[in-house]
Amino acid sequence: MSDLNILLEKIYEKTIAVAARNAHKIPYTTDENGRFDDMTEKNISWWTNGFWAGMLWQLYGYRENELLRKIAVEIEEKLDRNLMDAGGMDHDSGFKWLLTSGANLTLTGNPDSRNRLLLAADNLAGRFNLAGRYIRAWNDGGDGRNAGLAIIDCMMNLPLLYKASELTRDPRCRFIAEAHAHTAMEHFVRPDGSCEHIVVFDPETGKVADKLGGQGMGPGSAWTRGQAWGIYGFTLSYLHTKNREYLDTAGRIADFFIAHMPESGLIPVDFMQDAECPYEDDIAAACAACGLIELERATGEERYSEAAERLLTALLENRCDLALNKDNLLTHCSAAYHDKRHNFPIVYGDYFFTEALLKLERKETFLW
Ligand code: GLY
C-alpha cells in the first residue's frame, strides 16, 4: 500500500486527539455526531471493553505517547470490577485482558497486569467442559440453558490460555486451549472451509446436539466475522503451539474467505446474503486482514497478504474516516445480520484495522 507511513501518522495523531477528549470512556460505538459512547457504567463486563485500550497500547508501542498509556491503564483498572463479578466473566476474557493487562505486561512489565491476566486465564480455563472438550460460551441466569454453547469467536480467546502457560511454565491452560481448538477443528469447520458460528453440545454427554447460525444469516450460512475469527484464531493457535493442523485449518478457512470476497473488497455481514443486501462488516474485513498477514508470514503464501492488502485498501478508500471531529475510523460495521442497525462504527473494527496497518509495516506489538 502506498503512503502507509503517512496514513499511520494520521491515525496516530487522530487517536491522540480522540483519546484526549474521551479520556475516561470505554467506547463501543459513536453517537449521531460521531462522538464515543461509554460502557463504564452501562456494562463494565461488555465483551468489547478491552479494544479501545488495545488500540491505545498498539499506538503506544508505535510512538510511546504517555497520554495513551495513562488512558489504557485507567481502562485496565476499571475492568477489575468485571474481574470480581463471576456473572460478568465469560469466554471473552482474552479480548478483555490480553488487550489491557497483557499489553501492559508486554510493554511495561507491570506486575499487577500479570496478576490480572492470570486470574482471567484461570477463570477462562474453568469454563472447559470435559465431556465435550469445549470452552463454554455465554452465561445464563444459572438455569444451565447455555451450558452446551460453544462459538467460533472463542478461538480468539485461546491466546489468553497460551500466554498464561508461557508465564507460569505450567502447561495446564495450554492443554485446555489445544483441546478446545481440536474440538473446533472437528465440529465448527465445514468440509468447504467455512465455519459454524454456534455449536450446541449436550453438556452432560458432550455429543453435538445442534449447529446454529448465531450472528450470521442462519444455519449453514457463513457469517463473515466468524470466518475472520477462524482465520486469525487458528493461525494464533499455530503460532503458540507450532501444530501444523491449526495452520492448515486457518488456510482452508482463508481460502474460503478469499474465494467469496466481492470484487469491491468490501465484506458483507454474511457471505450467503443476497447480492442486493447492503449490510457490511468492516470488522470482518479488518480482522481477516490481520489473520491473513500472519498466515502469509507463517506459510510464505503471498496470496494471503495480497488478499489482506485488498481488504485494507477497500476499507481505506471507502470506509475510513480520518476527520479529526469524528471519534471513529471505520464506518460500516455490523454486530449481527438480524440486528436492526447496520453499517455504523464499532470500536473493535478500528482496533483490528490499526493492528493490520501496523503489521504491514512490522510496527505492531504482538498482543495475542
Ligand atoms: N464475539 C461476538 C462478536 O463477534 O460479535
Side-chain angles (χ1 to χ4, degrees):
M1 282 172 85
S2 59
D3 296 335
L4 189 54
N5 275 312
I6 296 171
L7 174 65
L8 283 171
E9 277 308 308
K10 280 189 186 161
I11 289 176
Y12 173 69
E13 293 298 337
K14 171 165 170 160
T15 303
I16 290 176
V18 172
R21 66 174 174 250
N22 290 285
H24 305 293
K25 290 186 185 173
I26 307 180
Y28 172 67
T29 184
T30 55
D31 64 17
E32 57 285 1
N33 301 314
R35 290 305 160 104
F36 277 156
D37 63 350
D38 182 12
M39 299 305 287
T40 307
E41 295 310 323
K42 218 175 191 175
N43 185 357
I44 195 60
S45 305
W46 184 234
W47 74 277
T48 65
N49 282 354
F51 282 101
W52 178 235
M55 183 161 157
L56 301 182
W57 280 120
Q58 283 291 355
L59 292 169
Y60 177 82
Y62 173 66
R63 283 274 185 277
E64 297 210 353
N65 179 292
E66 192 52 18
L67 174 76
L68 303 185
R69 186 194 67 78
K70 265 179 67 183
I71 296 174
V73 168
E74 183 179 317
I75 294 173
E76 179 184 350
E77 290 171 355
K78 281 183 177 176
L79 289 186
D80 285 354
R81 240 186 328 127
N82 180 182
L83 205 50
M84 287 306 296
D85 173 15
M89 296 295 288
D90 59 23
H91 61 286
D92 279 329
S93 287
F95 287 128
K96 285 185 266 187
W97 281 282
L98 282 170
L99 301 184
T100 54
S101 303
N104 195 354
L105 181 62
T106 300
L107 287 161
T108 77
N110 180 12
D112 290 343
S113 299
R114 183 183 195 275
N115 185 41
R116 291 185 177 104
L117 187 143
L118 293 179
L119 284 170
D122 282 350
N123 183 276
L124 182 61
R127 300 181 74 84
F128 186 67
N129 179 309
L130 208 49
R133 300 177 66 74
Y134 64 89
I135 292 173
R136 175 194 167 152
W138 303 287
N139 299 328
D140 50 41
D143 57 13
R145 106 190 97 96
N146 289 344
L149 300 187
I151 59 177
I152 189 68
D153 324 29
C154 198
M155 288 305 301
M156 290 298 293
N157 288 301
L158 301 186
L160 181 67
L161 300 175
Y162 295 127
K163 184 96 187 160
S165 278
E166 285 158 24
L167 287 172
T168 58
R169 302 200 183 156
D170 177 338
R172 285 174 301 156
C173 282
R174 172 166 52 79
F175 288 158
I176 287 175
E178 290 176 302
H180 179 92
H182 270 79
T183 302
M185 275 195 302
E186 191 179 341
H187 295 300
F188 282 77
V189 187
R190 303 177 185 131
D192 67 358
S194 65
C195 295
E196 306 287 348
H197 182 197
I198 302 175
V199 175
V200 187
F201 294 88
D202 179 321
E204 294 289 344
T205 66
K207 292 213 166 68
V208 173
D210 207 353
K211 296 189 175 186
L212 308 176
Q215 285 161 256
M217 210 169 73
S221 77
W223 177 46
T224 55
R225 194 157 68 249
Q227 316 308 302
W229 293 146
I231 296 170
Y232 202 8
F234 277 105
T235 304
L236 291 168
S237 270
Y238 165 74
L239 293 177
H240 284 282
T241 64
K242 298 294 173 228
N243 182 336
R244 298 275 324 178
E245 279 182 284
Y246 300 148
L247 192 62
D248 294 345
T249 303
R252 286 175 51 221
I253 305 170
D255 291 338
F256 176 90
F257 193 101
I258 293 168
H260 289 78
M261 267 168 65
E263 198 53 40
S264 66
L266 298 171
I267 298 304
V269 173
D270 196 303
F271 280 131
M272 302 301 149
Q273 76 191 35
D274 284 345
E276 299 76 44
C277 176
Y279 305 162
E280 290 178 28
D281 187 20
D282 294 345
I283 312 164
C287 176
C290 287
L292 289 165
I293 294 167
E294 290 293 347
L295 201 48
E296 188 268 342
R297 288 178 184 172
T299 61
E301 303 268 358
E302 279 177 17
R303 70 178 187 283
Y304 294 132
S305 53
E306 283 164 11
E309 291 208 23
R310 264 184 68 204
L311 290 166
L312 295 171
T313 303
L315 289 176
L316 190 59
E317 289 177 354
N318 305 285
R319 301 292 181 244
C320 177
D321 191 342
L322 291 169
L324 290 180
N325 66 341
K326 296 282 170 53
D327 288 345
N328 58 293
L329 293 173
L330 298 181
T331 56
H332 282 55
C333 307
S334 295
Y337 180 86
H338 291 287
D339 281 359
K340 287 208 173 68
R341 192 171 179 207
H342 290 277
N343 303 349
F344 63 104
I346 303 182
V347 68
Y348 60 108
D350 291 359
Y351 171 81
F352 284 111
F353 185 54
T354 304
E355 184 189 309
L357 294 173
L358 286 167
K359 272 187 199 298
L360 289 182
E361 281 291 293
R362 290 201 176 257
K363 287 183 175 159
E364 83 281 13
T365 302
F366 187 74
L367 298 183
W368 303 100

